[in-house]
Amino acid sequence: MRRIEMIGELEKVANLNIPKDLASEEANKYLIDACARFDVKCPPPQPTARLLDKLVGEFLEVTCVNPTFIINHPEIMSPLAKWHRSNSVLTEIFELFINKDELCNAYTELNDPVVQRQRFADQLKDRQSGDDEAMALDETFCNALEYGLAPTGGWGLGIDRLAMLFTDSQNIKEVILFPAMRPQDDPASVKASLQAEN
């Protein structure tokens, strides 16, 4: 099965030379310029993690027709994953892609409360600047980590993703039995419901 290292493969495919310190302002500016050069849409806010994700989607994910593991994500993109054993700026994580869609996500769980709290604080800065995908500070989780967490792995593979793969669906809404619905008191949703019934 194909395995590709996220940053190395992105640099090779897109002919980039991404600065090594991804937390730096220089790296952020470089990635903003790369997105502009390749016409990759990433509306503000533009934290480094989002810019990288957009570039990976544009250059790597589209090549993952046959089962492919994208491995070794940068720490800046993986706030819950443990650092890589041989390269501390990476994390032990993989995403499995089939037919250009992410099927599952798995990682070695970070179990150091001090590092986890710092990563949450870093994510909180991005969240406060408007990035809805950045994680909030979860002090309860950090307190639980202080009591101890054995080496653990996270694995995310939903039945919805499998259904998308088996039915060749392009949108997760096509396979969810009970899709998210608007509240009944929303006039637009009431009007849309009435029109759908007629």
Side-chain angles (χ1 to χ4, degrees):
M1 209 169 298
R2 184 174 172 225
R3 294 179 185 201
I4 56 178
E5 299 243 359
M6 180 184 276
I7 297 296
E9 189 73 9
L10 180 60
E11 287 182 323
K12 186 169 90 177
V13 170
N15 195 25
L16 297 172
N17 188 15
I18 300 169
K20 299 302 174 219
D21 181 6
L22 291 173
S24 70
E25 196 62 40
E26 174 193 11
N28 185 262
K29 183 173 178 353
Y30 183 88
L31 293 170
I32 289 171
D33 292 344
C35 284
R37 184 168 14 122
F38 295 115
D39 198 31
V40 174
K41 304 287 186 256
C42 185
Q46 296 177 318
T48 301
R50 274 190 77 215
L51 294 163
L52 273 173
D53 188 55
K54 297 291 185 185
L55 288 166
V56 167
E58 180 75 17
F59 288 101
L60 300 185
E61 292 174 10
V62 296
T63 69
C64 301
V65 176
N66 293 325
T68 304
F69 290 101
I70 298 179
I71 62 172
N72 299 339
H73 295 50
E75 179 189 304
I76 200 163
M77 295 180 77
S78 314
L80 297 175
K82 195 169 203 165
W83 54 89
H84 196 281
R85 293 160 213 229
S86 60
N87 186 341
S88 63
V89 298
L90 300 177
T91 55
E92 292 188 345
I93 188 169
F94 74 77
E95 293 173 315
L96 172 61
F97 282 83
I98 300 176
N99 200 24
K100 303 179 188 177
D101 289 318
E102 181 185 330
L103 185 63
C104 80
N105 185 332
Y107 55 91
T108 304
E109 190 105 23
L110 178 59
N111 57 358
D112 182 325
V114 175
V115 174
Q116 184 64 76
R117 190 173 278 112
Q118 181 57 52
R119 288 202 195 162
F120 277 147
D122 293 342
Q123 287 276 303
L124 188 58
K125 290 176 195 169
D126 289 343
R127 190 172 187 80
Q128 289 169 340
S129 70
D131 184 0
D132 294 337
E133 294 178 16
M135 298 184 80
L137 177 62
D138 188 342
E139 192 59 44
T140 304
F141 181 67
C142 291
N143 287 339
L145 281 181
E146 288 174 349
Y147 287 98
L149 175 67
T152 310
W155 172 273
L157 171 63
I159 220 60
D160 48 2
R161 296 285 181 172
L162 282 174
M164 284 177 68
L165 176 67
F166 295 147
T167 61
D168 196 27
S169 299
Q170 300 303 309
N171 189 321
I172 201 164
K173 292 177 185 175
E174 296 173 26
V175 299
I176 293 177
L177 288 176
F178 303 103
M181 302 174 94
R182 290 190 176 141
Q184 283 285 332
D185 59 327
D186 178 9
S189 69
V190 171
K191 183 178 178 182
S193 296
L194 292 173
Q195 288 175 342
E197 289 174 10
N198 294 329

